Amino acid sequence: MTYASALPGQPRGGSIGGPATDRSFCVLAPNASPMTLDGTNTWIVAEPDSDLAVVIDPGPLDDAHLKDVIATAERAGRRVALTLLTHGHPDHAEGAARFAELTRTSVRALDPALRLGDEGLGLRDVITTGGLELRVVPTPGHTADSLSFHLPADGAVLTGDTVLGRGTTVVAHPDGRLGDYLDSLRRLRSLTVDDGVDTVLPGHGPVLNDARGVVEYYLAHRANRLAQVETAVEDGHRTPSEVVARVYADVDRSLWPAAELSVRAQLDYLREHGLI
């Protein structure tokens, strides 16, 4: 989910949806909104010579979309063998149980409440379905259960809502925490520096080709917003709604409720660090 409209970082041109890397294909869900951008990106990931596929974030409970994802995999000669979730927000996970029913797959997630089957997901887990290598990267902050998936063979990372293809994400207070989110961004930056990740496959918006530039922009953006919130408080704006009106004055008012979630997370962070 996002409340900003533009993001530097070399977004890939063309329409959203379709092939993104040698091992990833996006099926765009029909749930566009100011908060979901063009819709949720449902990712089909598979080795090029494999007849098995992994689906990440089936998206909303929309039978036509879920069946389209299955049909897309089948047209490529693949069967969906596993479903993964980046986090539990409905635009990513609401359709997971129905999708699992249609595909007869398990659903793996960090949150036990979202799992269907015996296996969850956690740090250092590696998905190897059909010879694919997907490494689980815990990236809490947007939500406590947020995960990213590193696809080393393509130099890519699937980021859910932690990094978006356009705009910046909400730290969804109280579940989301700013300190966790900053740590997660640093973890993603390490992937770009140490592990050759150059492509972001986001949960919303276009594919981004400059992963390091995007993550560094996110870190700078957060630092700038945090300084603005601190200044607003020093100037007498005490409540979250007052801070939003001051700091996010240039943002569409329809997105102020989402911005207020991030402001609450920022205020908590500043208090925890003795800065206000």
Side-chain angles (χ1 to χ4, degrees), residues 28-230:
L28 182 64
N31 61 333
S33 75
M35 291 296 293
T36 60
L37 304 180
D38 310 87
T40 300
N41 294 336
T42 295
W43 291 100
I44 302 172
V45 188
E47 279 297 303
D49 59 353
S50 177
D51 62 354
L52 300 179
V54 174
V55 166
I56 299 171
D57 289 353
L61 183 54
D62 181 314
D63 249 37
H65 170 66
L66 301 177
K67 290 175 180 178
D68 186 26
V69 173
I70 296 167
T72 300
E74 290 177 344
R75 283 195 296 270
R78 298 190 174 103
R79 174 177 64 85
V80 177
L82 179 64
T83 304
L84 305 177
L85 297 177
T86 61
H87 65 296
H89 279 166
D91 56 315
H92 294 257
E94 185 183 38
R98 173 60 175 156
F99 190 72
E101 178 185 352
L102 291 169
T103 57
R104 298 182 180 179
T105 61
S106 61
V107 176
R108 295 181 64 181
L110 180 61
D111 184 350
L114 299 171
R115 301 172 190 167
L116 292 173
D118 297 330
E119 291 187 283
L121 291 171
L123 178 65
R124 289 186 289 274
D125 281 353
V126 180
I127 309 302
T128 57
T129 302
L132 183 73
E133 182 181 351
L134 268 180
R135 301 175 185 173
V136 178
V137 183
T139 47
H142 170 65
T143 61
D145 69 329
S146 287
L147 298 172
S148 296
F149 297 99
H150 177 201
L151 182 57
D154 286 349
V157 61
L158 298 105
T159 55
D161 280 356
T162 299
V163 174
L164 303 175
R166 188 171 67 250
T168 55
T169 199
V170 171
V171 179
H173 181 276
D175 184 46
R177 294 177 55 83
L178 181 59
D180 290 342
Y181 186 66
L182 295 175
D183 287 343
S184 294
L185 291 177
R186 296 182 189 107
R187 191 171 297 119
L188 291 175
R189 183 172 60 185
S190 293
L191 289 180
T192 72
V193 173
D194 301 329
D195 295 280
V197 167
D198 55 19
T199 302
V200 173
L201 306 177
H204 303 278
V207 173
L208 297 171
N209 291 330
D210 179 13
R212 183 172 180 179
V214 173
V215 173
E216 289 183 346
Y217 169 78
Y218 264 58
L219 284 164
H221 170 80
R222 286 295 167 191
N224 182 55
R225 283 297 197 207
L226 194 61
Q228 291 175 329
V229 170
E230 185 177 4

